[in-house]
Amino acid sequence: MVKPIFSLIFSSLFLINIACAQNSEVEWKPELTDDWTPVTDSVSTTGYFGEPPSDAIILFDGADLSAWESAPGYFPSMDGVPDYLEALQREYDSAPWKVEDGIMTVVPGSGNIKTKQGFGDMHLHIEWRAPAEIVGDGQGRGNSGVFLMGLYEIQVLDSWQNPTYSNGQAGAIYKQKAPMVNASRPPGEWQSYDIFFEAPYFDDDGKLIKAAYVTVLHNGVLIHHRQKLQGPTVYIGLSHYEQHSRKLPIGLQDHGDYVSFRNIWVREI
Amino acid sequence: MVKPIFSLIFSSLFLINIACAQNSEVEWKPELTDDWTPVTDSVSTTGYFGEPPSDAIILFDGADLSAWESAPGYFPSMDGVPDYLEALQREYDSAPWKVEDGIMTVVPGSGNIKTKQGFGDMHLHIEWRAPAEIVGDGQGRGNSGVFLMGLYEIQVLDSWQNPTYSNGQAGAIYKQKAPMVNASRPPGEWQSYDIFFEAPYFDDDGKLIKAAYVTVLHNGVLIHHRQKLQGPTVYIGLSHYEQHSRKLPIGLQDHGDYVSFRNIWVREI
Amino acid sequence: MVKPIFSLIFSSLFLINIACAQNSEVEWKPELTDDWTPVTDSVSTTGYFGEPPSDAIILFDGADLSAWESAPGYFPSMDGVPDYLEALQREYDSAPWKVEDGIMTVVPGSGNIKTKQGFGDMHLHIEWRAPAEIVGDGQGRGNSGVFLMGLYEIQVLDSWQNPTYSNGQAGAIYKQKAPMVNASRPPGEWQSYDIFFEAPYFDDDGKLIKAAYVTVLHNGVLIHHRQKLQGPTVYIGLSHYEQHSRKLPIGLQDHGDYVSFRNIWVREI
Amino acid sequence: MVKPIFSLIFSSLFLINIACAQNSEVEWKPELTDDWTPVTDSVSTTGYFGEPPSDAIILFDGADLSAWESAPGYFPSMDGVPDYLEALQREYDSAPWKVEDGIMTVVPGSGNIKTKQGFGDMHLHIEWRAPAEIVGDGQGRGNSGVFLMGLYEIQVLDSWQNPTYSNGQAGAIYKQKAPMVNASRPPGEWQSYDIFFEAPYFDDDGKLIKAAYVTVLHNGVLIHHRQKLQGPTVYIGLSHYEQHSRKLPIGLQDHGDYVSFRNIWVREI
């Protein structure tokens, strides 16, 4: 007796085979991992701008970008990004962003930057500001990102009255987890992230012993409490861990917007 | 009457549709959550067929299906299944599977069955057998499933020398996690699952307090060690928890194949 | 009326006594759970004094103690305390501590205080100051405590160049876990705790479903990262969970020293 | 030569002694970590005696003790044991226990034995039998122990109608955690342990990255579900982790009783 289920399964397998053959009907789209609901509640806050503790490593105190360098095509999450970011392949002799009046600002088109030093378990304090004048919307407004170990992104975005998918807004573990609340301040105002990060741990055979975990305060408000990461940030599809070293540079993303940063320091924990 | 769990699922699917409405080409396909690599190593084993402990609840001892009932359209994982399984909507006065010589066997087309009693935290022991004569391949060969709480599937499949996606083979937490090893025995031989399950816990507001966890022995071989579940099994897309009660019936799936079962018991833990 | 939590504690202590009754020399001493090593490294910091977010509940803004009340004999950790604290049994019509110049200060001998409102999952921000003039040493110097849910103590102590057992210093989960570092500021200076607390969860039968977890920043420095608690704070012996409700008052301890507090607020999380 | 693990333990005990030196009456007694309540419920079971899977390493199949060797003074938990066990310091050329009729039996006074090979993450299957004739009571009746990595003890004891402290009965993670139920069979009958163990992981600086976890089936009944271990088993006081390698020998304890073993195998997981 021929059952309909068999033909279904057969055709499914067939679809998989042609998917492997690059058939466009079965392929991941970036939108598939966007969560639009629930919409995150907003909390108003004046921020949280502490001085670095005595054992902190200063990554930017307003003077220069000497702790940073150019990071062409650095971030894995760019795989599959079709346009702007893929083009950022130039390498510069030094970090190509602008420093003025004690703040650093993305130079769109110059590419990402990363720290010269590698970090694993850390408290990263970083302050950032989206342009006061609103240009664009959704992901196209005040977009940048903090890449822990160059792999795990905490999203930077002007999320003040700016709807986008919840796991893509400011403070999101990009494409993995929306923040508990939206603690964004208006564009043009300084905001802070305090990121408490536990690096993943692999044994010598590459087996994952312990996943990465992150706690984040956005302007002093808890938005993640030791959240487990699924793996490195990916723009398309699902994430899986791949073995890497215990310390890797922190990256900041050029996403084409004039996002500024100041007071960046790390305490190794 | 529409059950609460269905209305929740319906509304969340509805929201996904809204989110994707801008681009009709952006939709989930079942194949997107199939993991074909790595291929799981095989382990040969003679099985593990213990007697029920003194405080076990016997669900099937070979006599009859009095602990079971018909479960038309019961399992959420069917959402998105286009043909055979959706059609299994008939309700029967009693569980419509066959009992002969102390074993019960799926009657293809009669639909799923579920226990009359609900269970949460449990040790579930169940023995099963795929037909000795091989018919079909991949997901079309000896397919059934154990649905913990009617929501969380441990896959039943004839995975003896039968390639399929790793997180869809025998013992997989279906579409979520491949077993550590393939401990399958040949078709026609009895196999056992010992499933140690911790039910998820929600507070009165529906907030997830604790996820579901499962440990599974397949023929006495460890294939999951207190693995965290992402949520209920879904055929298409990613899974999320929805509030449900602490105890729900166990389901067995009619997937169109003549899979048999015997010696089914539960110890509440 | 005897509260349930007290009767539980009483009966379990009783059983321990029975168990040990064969040999009167076998009994717990408070010192047995003091960890003196390793000595915690010190970190210097200027503190972290953010404004409350818009959805915070203000517990003390400098005006009065209207959110607080007298808590005679309130904290379970006093079981076994031989002298001063046991005597604090008087009940007052209102919280008996002093408010002056926008700060509240312990009135030694008046007893503990607790919030009128109960809290469970929370971010608690609290600022405190040990007396500028050093009196006493070890546990006898600037001692107080923040009791989450009246049960789980984060130690308050003047730990500036003041050796004591590591799991009894400022920021310790008292008798359970030393802080990662000693982030104490000198006596007479204000210090802050930002405490992110997840309450334990029990099912209706009293079974522990999820333990309590706490993350603490001391003057902005991470000293606990989602640390699991063994149970309520006890002065003598080992701790075990006993069922209690999801929200309970926050307590502050009168330990006989003139410790001051200001800017106390809670965000429910 | 003193092994590193011993010197670490020695120095930490030394520090505790210093800490307590002020009051010579303040010292740990073994009884302080005995939990007598609640008394564990009993479950009757016929056992669970599976064949080893194809990739198992056979440690004892009834023929001889060639996989084992003498382990004089091997187990750290003996620190503080005042009489019998301390005396077991002799070293033998081969494992000094008796093999007869396919079973091995403790020769009291000959000391512990351990595997020649080291193991970390593992499924250990072991069958054991207490003497049919009851001699002694409590901890003095059919006492032995399975030491995972030579450090983490799953208690072996004749716990059939034999009251003792709950975290010292058969199946207990000795002095740390009582089994969920008492699944003991009568003395003289064979019993099985299936132990699923995840070894702890330390980084190169000795920092604990991941604790040890264990799941145990006693005669097929779940008695621990991925229980976190506090550290190596200690007879007196509280346990703390000390860095050790990823694989270490399994030990079996000579506690003076004629306990027998058979069918011992390991699957590395």
Side-chain angles (χ1 to χ4, degrees), chain A residues 156-206:
Chain A
V156 170
L157 192 76
D158 178 2
S159 286
W160 179 262
Q161 299 170 351
N162 177 28
T164 189
Y165 42 98
S166 297
N167 60 354
Q169 72 184 294
I173 302 170
Y174 187 64
K175 292 270 192 176
Q176 294 189 21
K177 189 76 182 178
M180 293 179 191
V181 290
N182 183 346
S184 294
R185 306 188 70 208
E189 297 196 16
W190 284 100
Q191 310 198 42
S192 67
Y193 284 162
D194 286 278
I195 300 171
F196 303 91
F197 180 70
E198 296 179 24
Y201 208 90
F202 304 88
D203 71 10
D204 293 341
D205 301 326

Side-chain angles (χ1 to χ4, degrees), chain B residues 161-174:
Chain B
Q161 298 170 352
N162 178 27
T164 188
Y165 42 98
S166 299
N167 59 356
Q169 72 185 292
I173 302 171
Y174 187 64

Side-chain angles (χ1 to χ4, degrees), chain A residues 17-29:
Chain A
N17 288 337
I18 57 183
C20 297
Q22 315 259 316
N23 184 296
S24 62
E25 287 186 32
V26 182
E27 63 180 61
W28 281 93
K29 305 279 186 187

Side-chain angles (χ1 to χ4, degrees), chain D residues 46 48 59 69 72 77 96 116 118 135 185 195 218:
Chain D
T46 55
Y48 218 30
L59 294 177
E69 59 191 8
S77 69
K116 294 175 180 170
V135 177
R185 306 187 71 207
I195 300 171
H218 183 191

Side-chain angles (χ1 to χ4, degrees), chain C:
Chain C
M1 196 186 81
V2 179
K3 293 176 186 162
I5 187 77
F6 280 116
S7 58
L8 281 167
I9 287 167
F10 180 76
S11 61
S12 58
L13 286 171
F14 182 65
L15 286 163
I16 288 166
N17 288 337
I18 285 175
C20 299
Q22 295 143 297
N23 179 355
S24 61
E25 293 185 22
V26 180
E27 61 180 65
W28 280 94
K29 304 282 185 185
E31 294 81 2
L32 292 171
T33 42
D34 299 349
D35 287 335
W36 283 80
T37 59
V39 174
T40 309
D41 291 335
S42 291
V43 175
S44 164
T45 162
T46 56
Y48 217 29
F49 304 107
E51 294 293 307
S54 57
D55 59 354
I57 296 163
I58 308 300
L59 294 177
F60 180 65
D61 64 2
D64 58 47
L65 293 176
S66 57
W68 300 81
E69 59 192 7
S70 173
Y74 180 67
F75 304 136
S77 69
M78 283 184 220
D79 293 314
V81 177
D83 44 15
Y84 176 80
L85 292 170
E86 270 194 354
L88 305 180
Q89 297 298 331
R90 275 171 296 176
E91 179 144 21
Y92 296 81
D93 288 341
S94 58
W97 294 9
K98 187 179 68 172
V99 177
E100 203 171 51
D101 298 333
I103 66 173
M104 71 157 93
T105 302
V106 174
V107 174
S110 68
N112 306 309
I113 64 172
K114 62 179 164 88
T115 57
K116 293 176 181 170
Q117 189 174 344
F119 300 98
D121 298 345
M122 70 181 111
H123 172 189
L124 169 62
H125 177 88
I126 187 165
E127 301 173 16
W128 59 274
R129 188 183 65 186
E133 187 186 354
I134 296 175
V135 177
D137 60 9
Q139 293 291 310
R141 178 174 148 190
N143 193 330
S144 182
V146 177
F147 279 78
L148 305 161
M149 307 191 86
L151 294 167
Y152 308 96
E153 183 182 19
I154 306 300
Q155 171 74 316
V156 170
L157 193 76
D158 178 3
S159 285
W160 180 262
Q161 299 170 351
N162 177 28
T164 189
Y165 43 99
S166 298
N167 59 356
Q169 71 184 294
I173 302 170
Y174 187 66
K175 291 271 192 174
Q176 293 190 20
K177 189 77 182 178
M180 294 179 190
V181 290
N182 183 347
S184 293
R185 305 187 72 208
E189 298 196 15
W190 285 99
Q191 312 199 41
S192 67
Y193 284 162
D194 285 280
I195 300 170
F196 303 91
F197 180 70
E198 296 179 24
Y201 208 89
F202 304 86
D203 70 9
D204 293 341
D205 301 327
K207 180 181 167 188
L208 180 69
I209 297 297
K210 183 194 161 201
Y213 292 86
V214 73
T215 292
V216 183
L217 307 185
H218 183 190
N219 296 320
V221 174
L222 184 74
I223 57 171
H224 300 290
H225 195 197
R226 201 168 180 271
Q227 178 66 37
K228 188 176 186 170
L229 276 72
Q230 296 161 16
T233 303
V234 291
Y235 181 59
I236 295 183
L238 301 179
S239 173
H240 298 95
Y241 283 97
E242 303 283 357
Q243 184 176 19
H244 59 69
S245 46
R246 277 287 272 172
K247 297 192 178 188
L248 286 170
I250 299 164
L252 295 178
Q253 192 186 43
D254 168 12
H255 201 285
D257 296 334
Y258 294 90
V259 176
S260 301
F261 297 91
R262 69 175 189 193
N263 291 344
I264 312 177
W265 50 263
V266 162
R267 264 195 83 238
E268 294 187 298
I269 58 177

